[in-house]
Amino acid sequence: LNEANLIVVTSPTTKKEFEIITETQIEVITNGYAVSEGISPVLDTSFSIAHIGSLLSERNPEVLWKILSEIASENKEFKRDLRIKLAGAVSNDVIENLTSYGLNQNCTFVGYVSHSEALRLQHNAQVLLLVEIDSPETRAIIPGKIFEYLAAHRPIISIGPKSSDIESIINETKSGRFFNSHEEAKLKEYILLLYTAFKDGSLSVASEGIEKYSRRELTRRMSNLI
């Protein structure tokens, strides 16, 4: 680090950690999204919450399943409208958890799909789900799919560790809401807000400034640095 002319890292938290041990200039350039042409979204007719990518045991968002189960038991129409779409590997623990909360009938396990199909699922979903392990060590992890989620222009529910770099991106772009696993009441309130908008036919997101995360813009920044 000390012998470099410049250090490039992929997250603000990593920059802070490196600044403690070196005085070399550090710049942040995250991952990003490729502009997707030719996608004509056809929104799901159900109140779909889609997660694209592996959902393994350590990322199991049990707080979300609990809340969805509560709302479904309180509102029969919500129970009928809800569709949880999981594309990619899903652990047995997650499947058992969904079953224990009575949500198995509301789930669609899509399995592995091509990248083009993953993009289509993202653009068609009513809501997109992003989950990270609730641990201080994961605060600097910014999953690549968050940038494709931004490009899909659908509301994002994100669950992860407090002070996560994901939270900063979600808040900065006004692309959804971020919660930690202890914020049950706030998460439930947001889901009900999204569902009400879905029933009104007005569920959308007015995200801002996502262009800075396009690969073209990120490449321009890297070129300027070089």
Side-chain angles (χ1 to χ4, degrees):
L1 295 176
N2 291 330
E3 292 178 357
N5 296 105
L6 176 71
I7 300 166
V8 178
V9 296
T10 57
S11 72
T13 295
T14 305
K15 178 181 178 180
K16 292 175 184 176
E17 292 172 347
F18 280 15
E19 283 175 335
I20 297 172
I21 57 177
T22 184
E23 294 183 358
T24 304
Q25 180 184 348
I26 304 172
E27 297 288 341
V28 177
I29 296 184
T30 65
N31 203 334
Y33 66 88
V35 176
S36 300
E37 298 179 359
I39 296 179
S40 300
V42 180
L43 285 178
D44 296 333
T45 55
S46 59
F47 181 61
S48 56
I49 300 176
H51 181 275
I52 313 299
S54 298
L55 193 58
L56 305 182
S57 300
E58 61 271 19
R59 283 190 172 86
N60 181 24
E62 184 170 359
V63 62
L64 176 62
W65 312 146
K66 177 183 178 183
I67 289 169
L68 293 176
S69 179
E70 285 179 2
I71 300 174
S73 66
E74 297 163 356
N75 186 329
K76 291 183 179 179
E77 196 169 7
F78 179 88
K79 174 73 172 177
R80 288 194 301 268
D81 290 335
L82 177 63
R83 178 55 48 189
I84 302 167
K85 291 188 172 183
L86 304 178
V90 180
S91 77
N92 288 333
D93 288 339
V94 173
I95 295 172
E96 290 173 4
N97 213 206
L98 286 162
T99 302
S100 70
Y101 281 107
L103 296 172
N104 51 315
Q105 296 300 316
N106 298 91
C107 292
T108 299
F109 299 100
V110 182
Y112 286 105
V113 296
S114 65
H115 185 243
S116 60
E117 176 64 11
L119 291 176
R120 189 187 68 80
L121 288 167
Q122 291 168 27
H123 282 74
N124 291 352
Q126 294 290 345
V127 180
L128 292 167
L129 173 63
L130 182 68
V131 183
E132 190 46 77
I133 299 170
D134 189 4
S135 168
E137 289 75 23
T138 63
R139 290 179 300 140
I141 295 177
I142 305 177
K145 65 172 162 276
I146 187 176
F147 303 107
E148 291 188 345
Y149 278 15
L150 294 178
H153 294 284
R154 300 306 304 157
I156 299 171
I157 293 175
S158 183
I159 302 172
K162 191 174 181 180
S163 302
S164 167
D165 286 334
I166 297 172
E167 180 176 8
S168 299
I169 293 174
I170 296 287
N171 292 340
E172 170 201 3
T173 58
K174 297 180 172 60
S175 55
R177 291 278 302 277
F178 179 93
F179 305 90
N180 63 54
S181 58
H182 306 294
E183 295 182 299
E184 290 188 27
K186 291 181 179 179
L187 177 54
K188 184 175 183 178
E189 180 182 9
Y190 186 57
I191 292 171
L192 288 171
L193 182 69
L194 294 175
Y195 180 64
T196 299
F198 164 76
K199 296 299 285 184
D200 292 342
S202 61
L203 181 54
S204 62
V205 63
S207 50
E208 299 177 359
I210 69 168
E211 297 80 11
K212 67 181 286 187
Y213 295 109
S214 72
R215 287 181 182 165
R216 178 179 292 276
E217 176 60 20
L218 295 167
T219 303
R220 185 192 66 78
R221 288 187 55 211
M222 180 64 85
S223 177
N224 288 342
L225 284 177
I226 293 172

